[in-house]
Amino acid sequence: MTTIEPPGASRRTVRVPVAALALAAWLAPLSAIAQDKGTLNPQPLAPLAKPDDPATPAKELFARKPAPAPLQARTIGFYSKGCLAGAVALPINGPTWQVMRLSRNRNWGHPKLIEFLERLSAQAPKTGWHGLLVGDISQPRGGPMLTGHASHQVGLDADIWLTPMPTRELTRGEREEMSATMVVAEDRRDVDPHVWTPAHTAVIRAAAKDPDVARIFVNAAIKKALCREAGNDRRWLGKVRPWWGHDYHFHVRINCPADSPDCAPQPPPEADDGCGKDLDYWFTEAVLHPRPSPVPAKPKPPLKMADLPAACRQVLLAP
Ligand SMILES: [Zn+2]
């Protein structure tokens, strides 16, 4: 689904800059299409006229690789600037998970992330969910994507729907067409009490407590609910960060795997639970109702191959 993804290294100590507010204003119309649907009949992308042109956006190249690079598994670069060798797919059905939007072919990750998803999904029934509906992970070779995310490039990020998995197997059509559940209230100041359940808190808590997890990104209204419902056990809250979007799904990011010396890590989470002033900031007028900037922000130029770690070229060119 289309969401603006956290750029990655955002530290709690850094206030969201003015440019981000302009971004938020620009995002407002985007929330209407936050639920991109897939198709039962995906068409292959047309070949590029000049794939070797250094000006070609890297996303155009990585989007045209339907299978992983047959190399040893390793993450190369940073969550929002990198690629992935030796990816494995999360099977589209497991005992306690189902993969959504199969037409996107984004159920690829580093083996450590796939292990984590299977581990979390096995705990889901204990949290009150039958299982997980898994959205985008990464492309078969990672890298930037044509639509949706700034991160998810190195096979260590996964989106999990805030909709509990039904007890039956979803059809292919449902996996493309079904919408995830909006859990944020209309005024954006809290979760929607008609939709939010203790199981939502339980599944996010279970994810945050996994030692492999580095960060979880959720809408600020969701973080507010988690802060309220956490009780005395609050250490895990520090990993859960507010970010724009993320009102239909939560985004889990795991740590750099030991087999990947070229993986650039996130700074470790702070000890603080992040439920104080930093959270309040997200509910200020300027953030809730940003004024559109008079001059539209210039879109960032897309990443080229030269912007990515050099090893990503081998990943791209592997047979
Ligand atoms: Zn995500």
Side-chain angles (χ1 to χ4, degrees):
M1 81 195 64
T2 301
T3 48
I4 290 300
E5 294 297 339
S10 64
R11 289 163 177 273
R12 173 166 310 136
T13 45
V14 176
R15 287 276 182 222
V16 179
V18 176
L21 286 177
L23 170 81
W26 174 76
L27 266 179
L30 219 137
S31 55
I33 52 159
Q35 293 273 310
D36 276 1
K37 293 196 167 36
T39 169
L40 282 173
N41 188 20
Q43 299 298 317
L45 294 166
L48 294 170
K50 290 190 219 161
D52 301 328
D53 184 337
T56 303
K59 61 185 175 182
E60 296 286 351
L61 300 165
F62 281 97
R64 283 171 173 75
K65 295 292 177 185
L71 304 166
Q72 211 191 328
R74 100 185 148 111
T75 276
I76 300 154
F78 190 62
Y79 301 88
S80 52
K81 200 182 260 192
C83 62
L84 172 66
V88 294
L90 178 67
I92 62 168
N93 289 313
T96 45
W97 74 83
Q98 298 187 44
V99 175
M100 305 301 286
R101 304 291 191 263
L102 303 179
S103 60
R104 299 163 72 118
N105 194 27
R106 292 179 178 173
N107 57 321
W108 298 88
H110 186 283
K112 279 282 180 197
L113 178 62
I114 304 304
E115 276 169 32
F116 159 75
L117 289 168
E118 298 190 3
R119 193 161 67 231
L120 178 65
S121 78
Q123 290 185 62
K126 274 185 255 158
T127 66
W129 294 53
H130 300 293
L132 305 179
L133 296 180
V134 181
D136 283 358
I137 306 176
S138 287
Q139 302 178 119
R141 299 186 188 199
M145 299 185 191
L146 287 174
T147 56
H149 314 270
S151 65
H152 289 254
Q153 293 192 25
V154 291
L156 304 180
D157 293 282
D159 289 344
I160 299 172
W161 285 28
L162 288 163
T163 307
M165 190 183 91
T167 45
R168 62 185 178 82
E169 188 180 317
L170 294 168
T171 64
R172 291 287 173 127
E174 286 171 319
R175 293 183 203 225
E176 302 297 346
E177 294 283 326
M178 208 176 115
S179 292
T181 311
M182 165 58 119
V183 300
V184 175
E186 216 165 312
D187 69 4
R188 315 290 298 167
R189 291 179 184 277
D190 212 319
V191 291
D192 180 346
H194 303 294
V195 179
W196 186 257
T197 65
H200 285 88
T201 300
V203 74
I204 296 173
R205 182 200 288 122
K209 286 192 158 193
D210 191 290
D212 280 356
V213 168
R215 289 279 191 284
I216 295 179
F217 297 102
V218 294
N219 188 274
I222 296 175
K223 171 93 191 202
K224 190 195 246 183
L226 298 174
C227 288
R228 187 169 55 227
E229 293 169 14
N232 292 329
D233 171 20
R234 306 186 74 78
R235 282 265 303 265
W236 58 276
L237 281 167
K239 288 187 189 174
V240 184
R241 299 292 180 88
W243 199 253
W244 282 285
H246 297 84
D247 37 19
Y248 297 83
H249 73 274
F250 65 103
H251 172 139
V252 184
R253 168 170 295 174
I254 68 163
N255 291 308
C256 281
D259 62 12
S260 303
D262 299 327
C263 175
Q266 290 259 209
E270 286 162 49
D272 182 70
D273 63 12
C275 295
K277 266 213 180 90
D278 291 305
L279 183 57
D280 296 343
Y281 163 79
W282 288 87
F283 300 99
T284 56
E285 262 314 286
V287 174
L288 281 180
H289 304 112
R291 267 187 281 157
S293 95
V295 210
K298 253 207 207 147
K300 268 208 224 154
L303 295 171
K304 318 280 192 313
M305 285 310 291
D307 299 319
L308 299 178
C312 289
R313 196 172 289 278
Q314 280 105 61
V315 170
L316 184 74
L317 297 177

